[in-house]
Amino acid sequence: MADTAMLASTVPRDLAVLDHHAALPPLPSFAVNLHLPDTGPSPTAHELAARLREAIPHRRG
């Protein structure tokens, strides 16, 4: 058996998601950094960045 941390929406169907009573330590906060080129992103990269910013809550602290 092995454990890994994944976003719930990315867990493959052949893996089991442990519930909150699995006696594991809490996970730390994490950050997602998005880096785009200084020359400006392609239209596809720009759209992906916009969708990621909408989908992931922005929190600081």
Side-chain angles (χ1 to χ4, degrees), residues 47-57:
E47 184 65 25
L48 175 61
R51 288 179 185 253
L52 288 172
R53 288 183 181 113
E54 290 173 7
I56 300 172

Side-chain angles (χ1 to χ4, degrees), residues 26-47:
L27 294 173
S29 297
F30 69 94
V32 174
N33 294 310
L34 181 61
H35 298 272
L36 297 171
D38 293 335
T39 57
S42 69
T44 303
H46 180 75
E47 184 65 25

